[in-house]
Amino acid sequence: MLVRSVTAAAFGTNCYLLAPAEGEECLIVDPGIGVVEQVRAQLRELRLRPAAVLLTHGHLDHVWSVTPLCAGSVAAYVHAEDRYRLADPMSSLSPEMQVMLREEFRGRDDWREPDRVVQLGGPGGPGTQLELAGLRVSTTHAPGHTEGSVMFGLADVPDQMRDSSAVATTVLTGDVLFAGSIGRTDLPGGDPAAMERSLREVVLPLPDTTLLLPGHGPASTMERERAGNPFLTALRAPR
């Protein structure tokens, strides 16, 4: 599996490109602020064709560039409980922050939703399987950072790690889990109790051989986080 990442200049959001190989269709995950040209450069270099844009949640720093990358028939996938955020992702920011972002990264107020939006979390519920761009992607609802936060799982690892016995599968964790930390729960839609349930019931059961690709910061493994992430070590793993 081909995996490439682009890091946004604002908030350090990780945007990922996933594909079976060069020259194939691909998935774009969490296109943040100001990443359009970087993503398009990767698409040209690797001869990739976007099939869908997947959003781990609806916060502005993860969805800012979704519409220009959803050209033509490319759909954006977001959990039903975060669907409302695509109507106006700026709404949860202070007026001062809104002005700063518009002036620095767009210059005018021209936000619009993607033409095609697919809601996750309807019929089928947690664990829904998506077949996109030649990849099978599991979607697991993990609220706490936002109401509709999800994690995307793949039964494969990046090509450069294929010979490593340390990892066997990949999970894109969004802002649920970071290397050594977790997503904050004090923003609108955050819920500390829901986050604890997600960590206990969704994150802790992941195998140690899971490669974790977070929404911010470096990659990690479930083995490393289980042993050293203070938010996980404070919980008792399910038996």
Side-chain angles (χ1 to χ4, degrees):
M1 179 174 67
L2 183 152
V3 178
R4 295 290 187 273
S5 64
V6 170
T7 302
F11 303 108
T13 308
N14 294 325
C15 172
Y16 298 98
L17 281 70
L18 312 174
E22 293 187 24
E24 303 285 348
E25 289 190 318
C26 72
L27 303 177
I28 301 171
V29 182
D30 287 355
I33 297 173
V35 302
V36 172
E37 292 310 314
Q38 292 173 277
V39 169
R40 287 175 175 166
Q42 292 273 358
L43 296 176
R44 290 191 298 269
E45 177 185 345
L46 300 169
R47 298 174 288 110
L48 299 174
R49 306 180 304 279
V53 176
L54 307 184
L55 304 173
T56 60
H57 61 292
H59 276 164
L60 173 137
D61 60 319
H62 290 251
V63 308
W64 181 283
S65 299
V66 62
T67 300
L69 293 173
C70 280
S73 61
V74 177
Y77 288 70
V78 66
H79 193 274
E81 293 191 40
D82 265 22
R83 172 66 179 86
Y84 76 95
R85 296 179 182 274
L86 292 187
D88 184 8
M90 289 280 215
S91 61
S92 62
L93 300 178
S94 69
E96 295 78 15
M97 180 64 75
Q98 292 185 33
V99 170
M100 185 276 289
L101 289 174
R102 285 180 172 127
E103 289 180 349
E104 184 171 357
F105 292 100
R106 185 152 48 208
R108 58 192 175 90
D109 187 7
D110 62 354
W111 170 263
R112 66 179 180 85
E113 298 181 32
D115 292 333
R116 293 189 60 215
V117 178
V118 177
Q119 295 188 170
L120 304 169
T128 299
Q129 295 284 336
L130 301 174
E131 299 278 354
L132 297 166
L135 299 171
R136 172 173 286 187
V137 183
S138 66
T139 68
T140 305
H141 190 204
H145 181 64
T146 67
E147 310 94 321
S149 290
V150 299
M151 303 199 306
F152 296 114
L154 300 103
D156 202 349
V157 295
D159 291 337
Q160 61 268 32
M161 304 184 75
R162 191 177 300 278
D163 295 332
S164 171
S165 60
V167 291
T169 58
T170 301
V171 172
L172 292 93
T173 61
D175 285 6
V176 177
L177 183 69
F178 305 134
S181 189
I182 62 171
R184 56 192 294 181
T185 60
D186 59 339
L187 299 173
D191 184 335
M195 177 63 89
E196 182 173 327
R197 286 194 300 273
S198 292
L199 296 176
R200 187 185 303 278
E201 299 174 8
V202 177
V203 172
L204 278 173
L206 292 173
D208 283 350
T209 53
T210 304
L211 172 67
L212 305 173
L213 300 180
H216 303 267
S220 187
T221 66
M222 193 59 210
E223 180 180 29
R224 191 178 306 151
E225 296 311 303
R226 194 189 312 279
N229 189 313
F231 295 92
L232 297 185
T233 56
L235 301 173
R236 179 176 298 176
R239 297 297 183 183

